[in-house]
Amino acid sequence: MKAVIPAAGFGTRFLPATKAQPKEMLPVYDKPTIQYVIEEAVASGIDDILIVTGRNKRSIEDHFDKSFELEQTLQSAGKDDRLRQVRAITDLADICYVRQKEQKGLGDAIYCAKKHIGGEAFAVLLGDSITKGPTPCTKQLIDVYEKYGASAISLEEVPRDKVERYGIIKGTEVEKDVYKIDKLVEKPLAHQAPSNLAIMGRYVLTGDIFDKIDETEPGVGGEIQLTDALSKLDAIYGNTFEGKTYDIGNRFEWLKTSIEFALDDDESKDALIDYMKSMINKCE
Ligand code: G1P
């Protein structure tokens, strides 16, 4: 299976950090966000990845490209660990790029992948969210797709006052954590939301989604919404992901994620706890 990673947005919620830098390249602890996303795709068995980029996105291509000068310098300095790390990034997967010419919405960004994908089912991983769980989120969706033979999307319960930020679904639970979806609404007002189950940025889509996007009129924000195209599919399932999704497009979530990931690293854990304790004392 191939994967598509849309990464063409302006990252306006993260200005000024994203004025000249893609939000997908913002580091979370010690790696750019999009590297975690690609590692999730690879851990799910995918090695052919198409990134949909826009203007100001050259650094994404550079990050996954071979860096001869850097490798040479590390080699001459005998920094073998660093060299291995840098080479591993280049070897992660086959990565191709296509540009979304105009920012016409997530549906339109996915449509840019039509030629590369052909008619097969494919995964979509939004470039500004990271997931962590016992089984990679995308792998869980591939399993649902294979079992039900239909598109599958990842879901998570969100507080009622946050539903306006997400695509929200209404569905019937057909087995533990799996829903057959009847209705999808992009960014509904809180009192109009059909539930508090939100679409969390991971999808496995059947090839007919491209025809559905083609038939989709601009929706919320005047954009071609992927959620509206998903509503037109004959069948779609949702999976409440066993794990956690981190939305990096939001600065407070980004900061919390960096701290959480640093606490997972034995090298920085104790020093960070001491630092946080000292900061709490100072604030009290
Ligand atoms: C997109 C999708 C939305 C989904 C969200 C998850 O919205 O359109 O359905 O819930 O990602 O992060 P965006 O955050 O790009 O506005």
Side-chain angles (χ1 to χ4, degrees):
M1 190 179 282
K2 296 175 183 170
V4 177
I5 300 180
F10 282 131
T12 43
R13 282 189 289 165
F14 230 118
L15 283 167
T18 48
K19 182 166 177 284
Q21 176 184 221
K23 64 177 168 180
E24 296 79 10
M25 283 302 288
L26 291 174
V28 171
Y29 184 43
D30 60 353
K31 274 188 274 188
T33 307
I34 196 162
Q35 189 176 330
Y36 292 95
V37 177
I38 289 186
E39 285 170 353
E40 176 191 327
V42 172
S44 303
I46 294 168
D47 62 1
D48 180 327
I49 294 168
L50 179 75
I51 303 183
V52 183
T53 62
R55 286 181 195 82
N56 279 341
K57 303 284 181 170
R58 280 287 297 277
S59 58
I60 298 179
E61 295 183 29
D62 290 343
H63 184 71
F64 295 105
D65 198 4
K66 202 167 169 62
S67 175
F68 290 103
E69 300 84 349
L70 178 61
E71 288 189 20
Q72 202 71 57
T73 309
L74 293 173
Q75 197 156 25
S76 315
K79 294 185 173 164
D80 294 342
D81 278 359
R82 295 273 178 234
L83 182 62
R84 257 196 300 278
Q85 224 173 24
V86 163
R87 282 189 174 152
I89 298 171
T90 318
D91 295 340
L92 267 174
D94 285 335
I95 304 177
C96 316
Y97 301 87
V98 64
R99 270 200 182 205
Q100 186 187 19
K101 308 254 168 5
E102 269 177 78
Q103 298 228 338
K104 291 197 289 189
L106 181 58
D108 180 69
I110 300 303
Y111 197 79
C112 297
K114 184 178 175 185
K115 240 191 212 163
H116 185 82
I117 296 298
E120 299 298 307
F122 62 103
V124 172
L125 297 86
L126 300 194
D128 59 0
S129 62
I130 297 176
T131 69
K132 203 161 74 177
T135 311
C137 184
T138 298
K139 175 72 175 75
Q140 290 184 24
L141 292 181
I142 293 173
D143 293 344
V144 174
Y145 157 74
E146 282 175 349
K147 182 162 178 189
Y148 292 92
S151 295
I153 60 179
S154 76
L155 303 171
E156 202 171 291
E157 285 194 33
V158 295
R160 276 272 166 188
D161 62 339
K162 301 258 163 56
V163 292
E164 292 178 24
R165 284 194 200 167
Y166 298 96
I168 301 292
I169 68 106
K170 181 170 167 278
T172 316
E173 200 167 10
V174 287
E175 64 172 284
K176 191 178 173 306
D177 297 334
V178 180
Y179 293 78
K180 181 160 191 339
I181 298 176
D182 312 312
K183 193 174 179 183
L184 303 101
V185 191
E186 181 66 10
K187 302 192 173 69
L189 296 173
H191 68 279
Q192 286 169 345
S195 76
N196 66 337
L197 276 174
I199 305 172
M200 290 316 283
R202 296 293 185 267
Y203 313 72
V204 168
L205 302 175
T206 46
D208 52 344
I209 191 66
F210 295 113
D211 289 340
K212 306 298 180 196
I213 295 174
D214 212 12
E215 293 164 12
T216 300
E217 297 291 328
V220 174
E223 298 189 336
I224 309 282
Q225 297 291 349
L226 179 61
T227 305
D228 295 342
L230 296 176
S231 300
K232 298 179 191 290
L233 289 171
D234 293 334
I236 178 160
Y237 288 80
N239 177 50
T240 43
F241 170 52
E242 193 197 341
K244 195 168 166 186
T245 306
Y246 303 87
D247 176 10
I248 306 306
N250 167 318
R251 69 187 69 193
F252 188 49
E253 288 303 318
W254 166 80
L255 184 60
K256 286 196 298 187
T257 309
S258 281
I259 294 172
E260 217 175 294
F261 283 24
L263 288 171
D264 279 345
D265 181 351
D266 288 339
E267 252 183 58
S268 56
K269 185 179 173 182
D270 293 339
L272 180 58
I273 291 173
D274 287 345
Y275 172 71
M276 288 195 298
K277 279 183 184 158
S278 75
M279 289 306 284
I280 291 165
N281 288 337
K282 218 168 138 185
C283 295
E284 279 171 354

